[in-house]
Amino acid sequence: MNAHSSFDTIALRKTEDLLRDGWCIVPNALPPTIIRALEADLEADFVATPFCWGHFYGERTKRFGSLLRRSARSAALVLNPTILTMVESVLGAACDRIQLNVAQAIEIHPGEAQQFPHRDHDMWQGEKGGHEYLVNVIWPLTPFRRENGATLIYPGSHGSAGMARSDLVEPVAAECEPGSAICILGSTAHGAGANRTDMPRRGIVIGYCLGWLKPYENQWLAYPPPIARTFPRELAELVGYVQHRPNLGNYEGQCPSILLGDDIPARIGAIDALRPDQAAMLADFAAGRRTEP
């Protein structure tokens, strides 16, 4: 079996686990050396960031986003090919393309209480159950243990059947090592555990959502054009520098990727960005209705 077919097999198997159970762990998704180097890049931010306010975020917890401009190594998490294949398999049928929803670092300090169980798709008010809205991927920077606040996941809580349940069963702690990736459906109830140790627990959340949703993190403020110009094309598209057909997220009627070039026209003409079925329908409608110039 070659490396590509092995990768496809892992992505397929883990996608099946994710859809069946509402969550899964992908072991050895990245070398621990990359994770350690990324944590070192973010060390000053962990130290300088103040504690959160509010019962949901946690008042003994630190959070900060915009990770792609804080460390170039963050891209290895966002663009992980196994994860992207899994996410596109889960979300692809409900959108033209996926987008980055959040890239956030989290540090849970000793004494922090258990987080309120929640489903991440509840940030959007659309009808739930027909499809998933997002997939969150938690990358531990330090070992995740039940004692230090490992993410608690509530089995059977995902999908329309899980959401119809009146109560949650005893949660499972997603214990794993740095280099592993904890994948959670947007419909799966979960929450950080209490940190009963004397050391902080650190992790990173990389979230992906349907491309037609408003993302949790304002990507164009996090990564304005001068920063996005340094990204590879796939990464720039994930943070919003591409249209979601039909015509969503445009700049002056064109793909916002025009802002990544060196020569931006002073005046820009709008150009249709339609799905093939829409383009064909409009072409049929327009046929014979316009006079040739």
Side-chain angles (χ1 to χ4, degrees), residues 14-186:
K14 288 300 178 180
T15 301
E16 292 172 348
D17 293 345
L18 178 59
L19 291 172
R20 182 190 65 240
D21 301 330
W23 74 288
C24 71
I25 295 177
V26 181
N28 305 313
L30 279 175
T33 52
I34 293 179
I35 301 300
R36 287 196 294 269
L38 173 57
E39 182 182 17
D41 289 346
L42 301 177
E43 182 64 34
D45 292 298
F46 277 118
V47 172
T49 299
F51 285 112
C52 304
W53 285 24
H55 296 302
F56 179 75
Y57 280 146
E59 297 186 350
R60 291 288 298 163
T61 296
K62 295 185 177 185
R63 298 170 182 264
F64 55 86
S66 304
L67 297 188
L68 291 166
R69 66 172 171 81
R70 297 179 191 269
S71 171
R73 292 185 176 90
S74 300
L77 282 61
V78 175
L79 297 177
N80 182 276
T82 299
I83 298 300
L84 284 177
T85 297
M86 294 172 60
V87 172
E88 288 168 354
S89 296
V90 173
L91 302 180
C95 63
D96 186 53
R97 59 169 59 248
I98 64 170
Q99 65 178 329
L100 186 67
N101 187 53
V102 64
Q104 184 182 76
I106 302 174
E107 183 180 62
I108 298 177
H109 280 247
E112 181 62 278
Q114 179 181 336
Q115 188 183 30
F116 178 76
H118 62 282
R119 294 177 172 89
D120 286 324
H121 70 188
D122 286 339
M123 71 181 78
W124 299 291
Q125 296 303 305
E127 183 178 354
K128 311 301 194 305
H131 55 74
E132 291 293 333
Y133 282 60
L134 80 157
V135 176
N136 270 344
V137 183
I138 303 174
W139 296 85
L141 295 181
T142 56
F144 272 32
R145 301 288 183 266
R146 180 179 286 273
E147 295 77 18
N148 72 357
T151 303
L152 300 176
I153 299 172
Y154 296 82
S157 61
H158 64 292
S160 56
M163 289 185 291
R165 298 175 60 166
S166 59
D167 58 350
L168 297 174
V169 300
E170 190 68 19
V172 175
E175 297 186 320
C176 57
E177 301 297 321
S180 296
I182 306 165
C183 304
I184 307 174
L185 295 178

Side-chain angles (χ1 to χ4, degrees), residues 4-20:
H4 183 72
S5 60
S6 176
F7 152 72
D8 287 344
T9 301
I10 293 171
L12 176 62
R13 186 175 72 249
K14 288 300 178 180
T15 301
E16 292 172 348
D17 293 345
L18 178 59
L19 291 172
R20 182 190 65 240

